[in-house]
Amino acid sequence: MVQVNGNYLKLKAGYLFPEIGRRVKAFSEANPTAPIIRLGIGDVTEPLPEACRTAMKGAIDEMGTREGFHGYGPEQGYPWLREAIAKTDFQTRGCEVSAEEIFVSDGSKCDSSNILDILGEGNRIAVTDPVYPVYVDSNVMAGRTGDADDAGQYGGLTYLPITASNGFTAPLPEGKVDLIYLCFPNNPTGAVATKAQLKQWVDYALANDALILFDAAYEAFIQDPELPHSIYEIEGARQCAIEFRSFSKNAGFTGTRCALTVVPKGLMGTAANGEKVELWALWNRRQCTKFNGVSYIVQRGAEAVYSIAGQAQVKSLVSFYMENAAIIRQELTAAGLIVYGGEQAPYVWIQTPEGLDSWGFFDHLLGNAHVVGTPGSGFGAAGEGYFRLSAFNSRANVEEAMRRIRSL
Ligand code: MLT
């Protein structure tokens, strides 16, 4: 009989969002008329920007002609999209990132897990707690951790607690680690890191020969012009960081799929024999072998994000969700809850009321307000006692959810 990957058997529970889905399904089967509002998973609700739709329709028409047809595209993405990304997202912010260093992909969730393909097995890995579960689970699946303990923490991982007392930005590891996952603006806490805070991380990584995996999927939601959008705004980051970005949240591409990973040329790792190896070359090799690129149509849609109209439409989508976040913060504060985040990120992080743990508050809100959120404990042991609400929904749903929560 075929053998299975035993690492999967170490996984503590189902992936968080399917688990929430399962509980919500059970609730709605038992209460078929309950009008449920979902502020759990960070999935966008508003229509695709017009500029993107127009570009994709044009691309479909092109594909219907002999001259405009495209088969396999470059595994790294079309040069015109990589150029637009490098120029608009990085070079205009003073970051030295070239088009060649951009790898277009179908999602930063996929890339942040797939990157483990090119990294060795012996790395000491640090993650924040709470954390986006994909970083931990993909390491478990790849056999890079030990077993989980009763608190759900895996042997071999260094957990860096992010709490209200450190502003939800992680403390530097006490010992030496080789691989560090950072996500700012943060999922799930909605916290942001300043340039000074990111500089500490870059300095740590350079001093310890470590690699930072920087997830910037929510950078478009930053409102304060002083805050960094990219790790490459910090001097030295090209020597120690890979960055993940996405069109999912800013341009509504969760169902359309397009993202990107930046792997700077000259960023090095070490082989078992001590030889220095360029990570760009390994990632390029990995993508060419295992990935056939994002569809031409979708890449044309993503390119339109960088047009004048596209930039304005994406800005207005982001503002819409950030107004939702402001409403959530304001209403929950008025309801007597302690809230964090939601000012530079589309997630509001709520301290659960006394007497209710994270799943207890989940059940309370689902049962009594028919509102779905995400239990903080699902993001890690230090998330216990917290709860995440997402600002991704229609205005009517957000207002109605807040009305129901306030009337509890
Ligand atoms: C979340 O709710 O945390 C998001 O859906 C994460 C993701 O985009 O995968």
Side-chain angles (χ1 to χ4, degrees):
M1 191 175 284
V2 72
Q3 293 193 359
V4 299
N5 177 351
N7 296 315
Y8 277 63
L9 309 180
K10 290 189 210 160
L11 291 166
K12 263 309 259 184
Y15 182 54
L16 176 62
F17 296 105
E19 172 61 19
I20 291 172
R22 195 186 61 71
R23 292 190 184 216
V24 173
K25 186 163 174 274
F27 175 83
S28 61
E29 277 165 11
N31 304 274
T33 57
I36 293 173
I37 297 177
R38 290 177 166 78
L39 301 178
I41 190 165
D43 193 5
V44 293
T45 55
E46 302 308 295
L48 281 176
E50 205 226 320
C52 301
R53 283 184 280 125
T54 305
M56 285 192 270
K57 284 182 199 159
I60 290 173
D61 289 341
E62 266 186 81
M63 291 286 276
T65 65
R66 186 159 292 282
E67 315 71 55
F69 176 76
H70 289 78
Y72 292 125
E75 292 88 348
Q76 304 81 358
Y78 283 99
W80 31 264
L81 177 56
R82 298 169 84 198
E83 290 287 350
I85 294 168
K87 183 161 164 271
T88 318
D89 285 345
F90 295 101
Q91 291 161 8
T92 55
R93 290 193 172 277
C95 303
E96 189 199 331
V97 170
S98 72
E100 210 192 347
E101 296 171 326
I102 310 271
F103 290 83
V104 175
S105 77
D106 60 345
S108 45
K109 170 164 142 179
C110 323
D111 284 356
S112 66
S113 335
N114 292 336
I115 199 78
L116 291 177
D117 275 10
I118 66 162
L119 301 175
E121 295 191 349
N123 288 318
R124 286 157 293 187
I125 302 159
V127 292
T128 63
D129 179 10
V131 67
Y132 179 43
V134 171
Y135 312 149
V136 171
D137 287 3
S138 56
N139 273 288
V140 177
M141 292 169 174
R144 311 283 164 92
T145 71
D147 289 325
D149 63 16
D150 290 343
Q153 297 201 324
Y154 290 92
L157 293 186
T158 298
Y159 288 89
L160 307 169
I162 53 176
T163 60
S165 60
N166 61 27
F168 299 102
T169 56
L172 294 176
E174 279 168 16
K176 186 169 157 44
V177 298
D178 306 299
L179 185 61
I180 302 153
Y181 288 83
L182 292 180
C183 172
F184 290 111
N186 187 251
N187 180 13
T189 65
V192 266
T194 61
K195 280 190 184 152
Q197 284 162 331
L198 286 190
K199 181 171 177 335
Q200 288 185 338
W201 281 104
V202 168
D203 290 348
Y204 173 92
L206 292 173
N208 290 280
D209 246 341
L211 175 68
I212 298 173
L213 297 178
F214 189 74
D215 187 345
Y218 299 94
E219 58 76 32
F221 295 85
I222 291 175
Q223 307 292 303
D224 179 345
E226 294 301 314
L227 290 169
H229 287 240
S230 167
I231 190 98
Y232 304 116
E233 289 179 52
I234 312 301
E235 207 185 326
R238 286 181 57 83
Q239 280 77 54
C240 64
I242 287 175
E243 181 165 306
F244 305 101
R245 293 257 183 133
S246 172
F247 294 94
S248 283
K249 313 291 160 108
N250 62 340
F253 272 46
T254 53
T256 307
R257 310 307 307 151
C258 198
L260 60 117
T261 290
V262 183
V263 187
K265 288 277 196 143
L267 172 61
M268 309 301 275
T270 314
N273 64 3
E275 190 194 330
K276 297 273 180 220
V277 182
E278 197 180 43
L279 296 180
W280 185 95
L282 296 188
W283 185 245
N284 189 49
R285 183 71 174 81
R286 190 261 171 215
Q287 291 299 82
C288 291
T289 301
K290 294 196 178 184
F291 185 59
N292 264 334
V294 175
S295 86
Y296 174 74
I297 297 159
V298 168
Q299 290 193 62
R300 280 294 184 203
E303 182 196 27
V305 164
Y306 299 100
S307 64
I308 292 174
Q311 290 280 285
Q313 288 159 19
V314 163
K315 197 164 170 240
S316 109
L317 263 182
V318 166
S319 303
F320 174 81
Y321 290 126
M322 289 310 288
E323 282 160 27
N324 282 350
I327 293 169
I328 295 172
R329 277 184 61 88
Q330 184 188 318
E331 293 295 312
L332 296 185
T333 306
L337 291 162
I338 297 173
V339 301
Y340 301 96
E343 290 177 317
Q344 318 286 340
Y347 295 123
V348 179
W349 190 240
I350 303 150
Q351 201 172 307
T352 58
E354 216 172 316
L356 286 177
D357 64 8
S358 297
W359 277 107
F361 193 52
F362 174 90
D363 290 335
H364 175 65
L365 285 192
L366 178 60
N368 299 302
H370 309 325
V371 172
V372 180
T374 308
S377 56
F379 296 102
E384 181 55 89
Y386 289 94
F387 193 77
R388 192 193 76 178
L389 284 184
S390 147
F392 294 119
N393 214 312
S394 66
R395 182 61 41 82
N397 276 350
V398 166
E399 287 177 344
E400 173 60 12
M402 292 306 111
R403 190 194 63 71
R404 291 188 203 163
I405 293 175
R406 282 196 67 175
S407 68
L408 284 180

